């Protein structure tokens, strides 16, 4: 995105009780894991995503309902724990390091990409939980768009 | 003034004898009636009034038909006289070239105006007979009428320009059809292509809104389309939206006839009979 | 033994304490003080005129024993704590085979909480949630958590958050319920191998929200006037969606996000802005004999692959497909492509909306029907039906 | 002040110079004929006078105005060399239109239709008119509104002899009313009595510009006699008069204009031997050829 | 056998009869001029002869063929009254095309271009030609391929006097080579020596059809003398010769053609008193008027 | 024969100077290139070769463009000469009217043929460069070429007919556009309407297939889209082709130019200059 977009980008806001996931329509405050918020041109309030994966899926999907101004994700390096990702530790999605392919599950149970502002913390996480560290542009669309079908996941 | 009117009178006479008037009226009437009746089939979902539905389809149609009729009425205006040899004498008369153009313009506007009026009149009559007089919405109807006139006037002007520049009827008709293609289809196609290629970059935000409204056919369409999705767009365009909104569209549509006639005058001034 | 209890003093509490397994406690008309706990396999029958009022703390009726029946009570006055899931009736982990029927649960945070129970049967209750609080702070009509083999049948649920919220459960049946004025009519999370059949969802935000679940059968349900989506599949696989009727919806009749290998058969999707919105990671779903009628956009699918929406020579019915059947075999002579290149442009370049209705757009639209070479990938129905196969549903019957 | 003043006008089409330094005036009430071979530049001059074609160099003044200005056109009548009208109109419609443009009464137009002999065909489409009939419409429109300057490019082409006379009557009337008339023509005979001055163009240059009489004097071309006698007497006549035998009955003599009477007396003095005498002064054509050739030779 | 045989031809446009029972022949080698007022029906007859217009009644035979048949057109050359060419072509291209159509060599076309004086402009677009230059292209194409019948509708209109002569030279050549030539014209003077027969049409009817001399004799129009004397002697001259005083120096006399020499002698007998004598036989125009009027009167 | 060729030569010269040749070639080339390039993009299981895809698209395009170019080339042919006054002389020459028409026809066919050939040549070049020379299928390519010529010839003939009947360039251009609309758009629309109204009755089975093939534009389309899979994707009227079959279509397409030229000749015979 261009310089103008950077300057005009709205600031992130704290997660609220009303925040409902863009895809699942559920209250996302109740759920574990990092979240994402996204501002679209011409819209006052951000779109919320119950998982970072879904936010990235929105970005990487060919559909667009409006221009994306900015997306923020929780910096899991500053989160209290996986289940308490934090209120105001938002970082720009295009500046984050993501751990892709770890065993971490998002708030709803799908495989999750863990975002960090610091590359070191990301590497640390990857060492612990598996996966590799990638920048936004390096994440393939397939990684967030491919169907999730975990045969053995149900009891 | 009498001179201009006399020219207009004569042109009308010729247009009538050449069956242009009948053709234009028939075309507009036919398509309007078909669209109005087709649009009134009970689909019943969108919740739009029958009048608005009719106006939407007629707008879509008019984008094609009004420029076409305008160009067909005008492409022969200068070239035809030059070929027939009547121009030499005409230009020696105590009328300025502007007056000659104006006379022809008035005549052709009368033809166009009559054709559009009859077409819309039939639409109104059909709707009134099916849904009662209450279903008629005079606002959008008259907006459509007057913007159609402006659109027609633009293409009359451009037609005269072509006719003056080319000076041969055969060639003029070709160029006119080319212009029609460009203005009505290819221009927007280009914009669309640019949008896709640009993928939300600066073109989409800064140039596109102006480029869109700069085309009189687009300005006309946007002005007459009540579709909300179109107006909603303005919000996404930021600063450009105010310029390209209703007033921008109206300005474009009102400016174009003037500009086109000025072009025509400049081109006509260069014609040596 | 049968107990006849009048609404006086601590009679109910005493009866509950003294009853033995197999007893029947019948309550005379009148109000009874809650909360109560049932820890024996008895039948508690309010005979439709007994009203148990909780103290706004915790659940009003808690079933702890196996094989309990709670019938004919009016229950109000639960607590409001979402964490503890304060409910009108809580069927706890130990209360296998509970039968809860013909009760009237009004204004409780959660109506009935099936909490880790096996084989509970909840039927023909009338559940009205709260209208205070914000939608998200309200409770669900029936909350099914970690339960197996539950049957929720014929309940009439109104107000509150979700009508039936199923979480981490399996092999349940949800049948013939009516849900109105809710967020989701039925909300599935991590609930496999269940059946959702013959329910009615009216004017909710979302009708049937099936998430993170496999092998769900969604059959013969009705969604009418649901604001966002009629049916939503979110990370849901290998499910069967058959014979449902989604109509007069708001945004989308069906929304599919990252769901695959699902089968859609003989459903009706009518009068929505979008018939089916098909997004990322949704593959190998099959669609046959569905009827898409008068949706503004029948299908929204952005993808560069060709997806055939017909199964063994039978496709779907599309109300906007102007095709002919010259050989009279019931299959249209021309394939149907719900989306064209223009749809793709509009979905990817929102600014292009201003060109809607312009000749250029019409040219492109027309080209897609005329020039196969210009087609982007997308949905193709190679065997569109000439006549719709409409699902035959029983309308909800008022008791 | 002349109604039309052409001064040192040059016209070039690319490298082709079609009018070379032509100067010519036409006074009010004067009728000037523009002669010249095909492609001499008559029409080019006329179009420049009307402002229909830009002037490459030099200046033209039309009734005190620049050519092609509204003021100039207001007082100018013009007949193009190939006049054409829209075939779908009737003669009357077309002339009424012109009358309106010239702010003249429609009655005047109707009268003119009568005068040019088109009253009977006035309500027929011009498409059905004969060539001469179209030319007459063209003539009628020039005269409409009594222009101060009438420019007529080959006005009599296509006109029958009687109409030609009527046309020159109209021109005379115009001139008598003070209009300046400039006409181009190839029909020399008719100009003889009907114009005041003759200007001859050759290859874009003005080679003569004077009254017919003056031109005659200037050129002093010989007069021709054709004497016819009987078969047997012609020999004698020839010996007495000289000249050239044309055939067995006639011979031709030439003499300078001032010897004409002398030669005539000599002929008639021969008495009844002479059967016939034709006397032909140098025709306008010879005069025209003379001046055109003078130009040729000087080149 | 005549090259062109027109028999009792009638043409009607609706109720309007524009050609009424006209019969006319043209022999090979003969030049016939068709005269008549505007709208008399000349062009109509010509178009019927060419098969461009159907005949309402009567018959026409062109070189033994029906008008408009391929055989007839193969041997016919035609110049329309308002000849036009596609402006985008050059003169040479246009004439070469005609040459090909007439199966003549391109060399012949080039020679003709030279002959009609267009060699210098042959490779310019016809759009830039003057009116006369276009007419010349028209003339050239008629002559191409030496047609057996040449039909020329106002061939000299727009031609300058010199080209006119050249044109009639060409016509003469054609006739000498055995072609029949029918031409319509309003330029009477030039027809005098250049045609063999004159046919006069009036309102669609043929009112005269004979050689010029025969017509003269038939009409026996008077000869005009203009006698000029000095101011003081004119009175006496007038008394002696009779006639009409024109002004203080000249008088006009008329006499029948056969009294011409007698009158001339009488004039010259007056001696040096007579300063000048002009003798004008009845002009072709008077003859034309005579015949046109005869028709008028019989109506 | 020399005469006919000379006329053709002259008409070609005029067409070149009037920029008709350039316009026609440019139009065809532009659209063909766009379609070929665009048609080579999609992936997936269409199961047709790139050549067939391109040919299918170009066929559909040609249904619109070839008649349009044909009419534009021809509408002026007689009317223009009549208005300019060159017809009188032309008709006095020792050529039959048939020969004159034929001469013009040859010239216009050359223009059309060149335009189509260049367009298809570009298509072939693009495909060869992308998929190798092996991907070129000469059979369908030449079939498309020659059927395009037949289609063009038909509309040239109809254009001459109009030009002869109307005799005024201005009016002729209007009528020509009307004819184009009817033949290319309205006729099929009418058939569709009849099909809907008839709902599988006798019309659909007996008359419709013949009515469809009777339109040269439809016959052309059916002839060039024989591939059933592509056809399924391309047009709703494909199934009808089975009834009249290849020979029916071919007959229609080969008969039409002859019939159109006969019409033209009949009309031209009636023209009095
Ligand atoms: N199509 C037509 N319909 C009606 N009248 C016609 C038609 N064509 C010609 N006329 C009339 O026929 C008459 C003869 O016309 P024609 O052109 O033969 O005259 P012409 O002798 O050639 O005259 P000119 O010397 O002016 O060329 C005229 O009165 C003319 O108006
Ligand atoms: N646009 C032009 N380009 C080049 N040459 C031109 C153009 N217009 C006229 N001419 C040339 O100028 C010359 C003069 O033409 P003009 O029409 O004035 O002749 P004219 O004296 O009127 O002849 P005519 O007696 O034949 O009417 C001709 O040689 C002509 O070919
Ligand atoms: Cu959920
Ligand atoms: Mg001239
Ligand atoms: Mg004539």
């Amino acid at each position: 995105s261009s310089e103008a977009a950077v300057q005009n980008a709205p600031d992130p806001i704290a997660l609220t009780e009303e925040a409902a996931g863009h895809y699942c329509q559920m209250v996302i405050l109740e759920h574990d894991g990092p979240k994402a918020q996204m501002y679209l041109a011409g819209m006052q309030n951000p779109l919320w995503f119950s998982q970072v994966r879904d936010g990235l899926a929105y970005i990487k999907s060919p559909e667009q309902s409006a221009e994306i101004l900015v997306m923020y994700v929780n910096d899991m390096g500053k989160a209290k724990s996986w289940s308490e990702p934090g209120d105001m530790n938002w970082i720009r999605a295009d500046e984050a390091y993501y751990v892709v392919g770890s065993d971490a599950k998002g708030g709803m149970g799908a495989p999750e990409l863990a975002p960090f502002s610091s590359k070191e913390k990301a590497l640390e996480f990857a060492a612990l939980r598996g996966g590799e560290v990638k920048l936004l542009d390096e994440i393939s669309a397939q990684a967030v768009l491919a169907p999730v079908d975990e045969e053995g996941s149900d009891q | 003034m009498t001179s201009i009117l006399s020219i207009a009178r004569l042109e009308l006479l010729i247009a009538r004898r050449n069956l242009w008037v009948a053709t234009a009226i028939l075309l507009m009437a036919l398509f309007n009636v078909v669209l109005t009746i087709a649009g009134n089939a009970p689909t019943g979902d969108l919740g739009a009034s029958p009048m608005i539905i009719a106006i939407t389809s007629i707008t879509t149609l008019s984008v094609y038909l009004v420029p076409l009729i305008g160009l067909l009425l005008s492409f022969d205006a200068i070239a035809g006289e030059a070929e027939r040899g009547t121009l030499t004498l005409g230009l020696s008369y105590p009328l300025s070239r502007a007056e000659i153009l104006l006379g022809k313009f008035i005549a052709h506007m009368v033809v166009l105006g009559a054709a559009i009026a009859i077409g819309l009149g039939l639409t109104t009559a059909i709707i009134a007979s099916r849904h009662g007089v209450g279903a008629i919405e005079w606002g959008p109807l008259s907006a459509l009428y007057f913007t159609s006139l402006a659109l027609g006037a633009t293409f009359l002007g451009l037609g005269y320009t072509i006719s003056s520049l080319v000076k041969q009827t055969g060639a003029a008709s070709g160029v006119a059809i080319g212009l029609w293609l460009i203005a009505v289809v290819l221009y927007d196609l280009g914009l669309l292509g640019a949008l896709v290629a640009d993928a939300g970059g600066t073109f989409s935000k800064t140039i596109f809104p102006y480029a869109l409204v700069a085309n009189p056919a687009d300005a006309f369409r946007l002005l007459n389309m009540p579709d909300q999705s179109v107006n909603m767009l303005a919000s996404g365009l930021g600063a450009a939206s105010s310029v390209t909104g209703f007033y921008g569209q109206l300005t474009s549509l009102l400016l174009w006839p003037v500009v086109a006639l000025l072009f025509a005058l400049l081109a006509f001034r260069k014609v040596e009979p | 033994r049968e107990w006849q209890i009048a609404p006086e003093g601590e009679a109910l509490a005493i009866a509950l304490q003294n009853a033995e397994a197999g007893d029947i406690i019948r309550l005379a008309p009148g109000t009874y003080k809650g909360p109560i706990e049932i820890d024996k396999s008895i039948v508690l029958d309010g005979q439709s005129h007994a009203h148990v009022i909780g103290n706004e703390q915790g659940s009003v009726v808690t079933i702890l024993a196996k094989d309990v029946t709670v019938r004919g009570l009016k229950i109000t006055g639960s607590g409001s704590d979402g964490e503890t899931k304060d409910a009108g009736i809580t069927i706890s982990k130990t209360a296998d085979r509970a039968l809860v029927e013909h009760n009237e649960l009004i204004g409780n945070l959660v109506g009935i909480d099936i909490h880790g129970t096996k084989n509970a049967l909840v039927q023909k209750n009338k559940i009205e949630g709260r209208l205070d609080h914000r939608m998200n702070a309200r409770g669900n009509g029936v909350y099914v958590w970690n339960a197996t083999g539950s049957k929720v049948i014929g309940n009439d649920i109104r107000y509150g958050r979700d009508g039936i919220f199923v979480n981490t459960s399996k092999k349940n049946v949800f049948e013939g319920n009516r849900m109105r004025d809710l967020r989701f009519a039925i909300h599935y999370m991590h609930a496999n191998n269940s059946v959702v059949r013959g329910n009615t969802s009216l004017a909710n935000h979302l009708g049937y929200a099936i998430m993170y679940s496999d092998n769900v059968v969604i059959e013969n349900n009705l969604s009418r006037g649901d604001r966002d989506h009629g049916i939503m599949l979110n990370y849901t696989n290998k499910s069967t969606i058959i014979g449902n009727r989604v109509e007069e919806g708001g945004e989308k009749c069906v929304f599919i996000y990252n769901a695959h290998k699902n089968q859609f058969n003989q459903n009706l999707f009518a009068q929505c802005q979008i018939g089916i919105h098909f997004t990322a990671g949704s593959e190998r779903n099959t669609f046959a004999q569905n009827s898409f009628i008068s949706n503004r956009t029948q299908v929204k699918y952005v993808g560069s692959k060709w997806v055939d929406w017909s199964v063994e020579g039978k496709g779907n019915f599309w109300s906007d497909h102007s095709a002919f059947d010259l050989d009279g075999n019931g299959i249209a002579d021309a394939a149907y492509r719900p989306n064209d290149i223009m749809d793709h442009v509009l979905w990817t370049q929102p600014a292009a909306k201003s060109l809607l209705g312009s000749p250029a757009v019409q040219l492109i639209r027309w080209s897609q029907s005329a020039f196969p070479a210009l087609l982007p990938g997308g949905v193709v129905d190679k065997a569109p039906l000439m006549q719709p196969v409409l699902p035959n549903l029983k309308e909800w019957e008022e008791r | 002040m002349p109604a039309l003043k052409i001064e040192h006008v040059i016209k070039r089409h690319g490298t082709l110079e079609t009018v070379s330094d032509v100067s010519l005036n036409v006074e009010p009430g004067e009728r000037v004929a523009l002669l010249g071979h095909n492609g001499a530049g008559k029409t080019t001059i006329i179009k420049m006078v009307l402002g229909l074609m830009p002037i490459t160099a030099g200046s033209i003044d039309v009734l005190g105005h620049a050519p092609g200005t509204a003021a100039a056109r207001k007082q100018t009548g013009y007949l193009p060399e190939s006049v054409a009208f829209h075939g779908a109109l009737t003669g009357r419609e077309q002339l009424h239109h012109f009358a309106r443009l010239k702010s003249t009464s429609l009655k005047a137009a109707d009268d003119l239709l009568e005068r040019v002999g088109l009253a009977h065909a006035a309500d027929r489409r011009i498409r059905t008119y004969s060539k001469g009939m179209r030319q007459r419409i063209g003539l009628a429109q020039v005269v409409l509104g009594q222009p101060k300057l009438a420019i007529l490019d080959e006005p009599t082409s296509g006109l029958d002899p009687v109409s030609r006379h009527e046309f020159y009557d109209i021109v005379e009337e115009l001139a008598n009313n003070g209009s300046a008339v400039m006409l181009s023509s190839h029909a020399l005979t008719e100009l003889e009595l009907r114009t005041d001055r003759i200007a001859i163009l050759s290859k874009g240059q003005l080679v003569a510009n004077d009254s017919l009489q003056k031109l005659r004097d200037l050129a002093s071309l010989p007069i021709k006699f054709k004497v016819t006698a009987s078969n047997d007497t012609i020999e004698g006549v020839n010996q007495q008069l000289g000249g050239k035998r044309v055939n067995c009955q006639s011979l031709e003599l030439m003499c300078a204009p001032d010897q004409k009477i002398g030669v005539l007396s000599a002929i008639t003095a021969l008495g009844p031997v002479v059967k016939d005498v034709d006397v032909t002064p140098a025709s306008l054509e010879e005069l025209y050829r003379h001046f055109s050739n003078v130009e040729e030779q000087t080149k």
Side-chain angles (χ1 to χ4, degrees), chain B residues 2-3 6-7 9-10 13-14 17-18 84-86 88-89 91-97 271-273, chain D residues 47 50 52-54 73-74 78 80 82-86 88-90 93-94 97-98 100-102 125 141:
Chain B
T2 5
S3 306
S6 183
I7 294 226
R9 232 187 87 146
L10 214 72
L13 209 65
I14 292 172
R17 298 211 175 133
N18 275 353
R84 244 174 279 125
T86 55
T88 325
L89 185 55
L91 289 181
S92 78
Y93 265 69
L95 287 94
S96 68
R97 299 202 182 196
V271 172
E272 278 181 35
Chain D
K47 286 198 171 166
L50 291 159
L52 295 174
M53 213 182 232
R73 278 178 296 153
K74 210 173 181 63
Y78 168 50
S82 310
V83 72
F85 304 100
H86 203 293
L89 300 171
T90 68
E93 284 166 351
Q94 182 69 72
H97 171 63
F98 286 131
R100 280 193 210 96
L101 294 193
K102 289 198 168 174
R125 302 267 170 103
Q141 62 83 27

Side-chain angles (χ1 to χ4, degrees), chain C residues 287 299 301 305-311 314-316 318 334-339 368 375-384:
Chain C
F287 294 83
V299 174
Y301 169 69
K305 278 198 205 127
W306 290 87
V307 182
D308 185 5
W309 276 18
S310 61
V311 177
K314 278 204 169 168
N316 304 278
W318 307 92
Y336 176 76
R337 287 180 305 272
N339 301 140
Q368 75 96 39
L375 280 176
V379 172
V380 189
D381 185 342
K382 286 188 176 163

Side-chain angles (χ1 to χ4, degrees), chain D residues 42-43 81 153-154:
Chain D
K42 303 177 294 295
T43 301
E81 62 185 345
D153 203 354
E154 302 193 27

Side-chain angles (χ1 to χ4, degrees), chain C residues 252-289:
Chain C
K252 297 157 192 173
C253 284
V254 178
F255 177 52
I256 299 178
Y257 174 69
N258 206 319
H260 69 159
K261 297 190 207 155
N262 300 292
Q263 260 179 288
F264 285 80
N265 277 309
Q266 296 174 15
N267 301 289
L268 167 69
F269 303 125
Q271 292 138 14
C272 300
Q273 290 294 319
I274 297 175
I276 292 190
H277 184 186
F278 217 69
T279 58
S282 304
E283 293 175 0
R284 287 191 278 168
N285 298 291
T286 61
F287 294 83
Q289 301 186 61

Side-chain angles (χ1 to χ4, degrees), chain D residues 16 37-38 124 158 160 165 260-261 268 275-276 278 285:
Chain D
L16 193 73
H37 61 85
N38 294 135
R124 269 197 351 225
D160 66 45
H165 277 279
K260 185 175 177 186
I261 289 301
T268 49
K275 282 225 176 102
D276 195 3
D278 280 327
E285 192 182 320

Side-chain angles (χ1 to χ4, degrees), chain B:
Chain B
M1 197 58 213
T2 5
S3 306
I4 297 177
L5 288 183
S6 183
I7 294 226
R9 232 187 87 146
L10 214 72
E11 287 288 334
L12 259 178
L13 209 65
I14 292 172
R16 208 156 42 104
R17 298 211 175 133
N18 275 353
L19 295 183
W20 271 128
V21 182
T23 311
I25 289 178
L26 217 77
L27 260 178
M28 286 303 287
L30 186 79
F31 279 100
N32 275 18
V33 166
V34 167
L35 282 183
T36 308
I37 291 176
N40 257 269
T43 43
D45 48 332
L46 302 173
S49 74
M51 192 79 198
I52 294 299
I53 292 175
I55 282 182
T56 308
S57 17
I58 291 172
T59 300
T60 312
L61 171 84
S62 299
V63 171
Y64 293 87
L65 220 50
V66 170
L68 188 68
I69 294 179
L71 286 171
L72 284 182
L73 282 173
S74 58
F75 84 91
D76 190 51
I78 312 299
E81 290 222 32
E83 279 202 344
R84 244 174 279 125
T86 55
L87 193 59
T88 325
L89 185 55
L91 289 181
S92 78
Y93 265 69
L95 287 94
S96 68
R97 299 202 182 196
E99 287 172 311
I100 296 177
L101 264 188
L102 205 61
K104 284 173 184 277
F105 178 69
I106 290 173
H108 295 149
M109 279 304 278
V110 169
V111 176
L112 208 61
I116 300 172
I118 289 174
L120 287 182
L122 286 171
T123 295
T124 313
I126 290 170
I127 286 177
S129 79
R130 291 195 172 191
H131 306 272
V133 181
I136 301 171
E137 297 177 43
W138 295 106
L141 194 66
S142 51
L144 178 58
Y145 183 68
F146 289 107
T147 50
S148 294
L149 282 187
L151 186 65
T154 304
F155 282 85
L156 283 178
L158 294 176
Y160 302 140
T161 312
I162 291 172
S163 202
S164 305
L165 290 177
V166 178
K167 281 195 289 189
Q168 288 180 290
T169 340
S173 73
V175 177
I177 289 200
L179 176 74
W180 180 81
L181 257 179
I182 290 172
V184 170
V185 183
L186 298 180
Y187 183 89
D188 286 359
L189 220 55
L191 283 188
L192 214 50
L195 266 188
V196 171
D198 181 60
T202 45
F203 170 83
S204 309
K205 273 172 276 175
T206 56
I207 303 170
F208 171 73
Y210 296 97
L212 182 69
V213 171
N215 182 348
D218 283 319
F220 168 81
R221 188 170 44 73
L222 293 176
L223 265 177
N224 287 293
M225 287 284 204
D227 196 305
Q228 278 310 306
S229 63
V230 173
N231 296 334
M232 249 163 52
L233 161 88
S235 58
L237 290 176
S241 66
S242 57
V243 189
T244 56
F246 174 76
Y247 290 105
Q249 294 157 13
L250 197 66
T251 311
S252 168
L253 208 52
L254 293 184
L255 218 58
W256 259 109
V258 178
V259 171
L261 284 174
L262 278 179
F263 280 159
L265 188 57
L266 285 179
F268 189 29
R269 282 238 169 95
K270 291 246 151 69
V271 172
E272 278 181 35

Side-chain angles (χ1 to χ4, degrees), chain A residues 23-109:
Chain A
Y23 288 120
C24 68
Q25 307 273 321
M26 289 168 65
V27 179
I28 65 175
L29 191 63
E30 300 168 354
H31 295 267
D32 291 354
K35 314 285 185 294
Q37 59 175 298
M38 180 187 291
Y39 284 92
L40 296 184
M43 297 232 254
Q44 208 67 51
N45 298 311
L47 297 182
W48 291 100
F49 294 92
S50 50
Q51 295 195 180
V52 170
R53 175 196 175 88
D54 294 338
L56 294 177
Y58 188 98
I59 289 182
K60 303 271 178 187
S61 104
E63 290 181 43
Q64 301 272 292
S65 56
E67 188 203 348
I68 297 168
L69 294 179
V70 66
M71 180 166 97
Y72 297 103
V73 292
N74 286 113
D75 178 2
M76 293 311 279
K78 299 215 176 91
K80 245 189 242 166
S81 68
W82 187 257
S83 55
E84 290 168 275
D87 260 0
M88 278 314 293
N89 53 339
W90 298 105
I91 52 172
R92 286 182 65 99
D94 50 358
E95 291 165 359
Y97 297 93
Y98 299 87
V99 180
V100 184
S102 73
D103 64 359
K105 294 266 187 285
M108 297 289 170

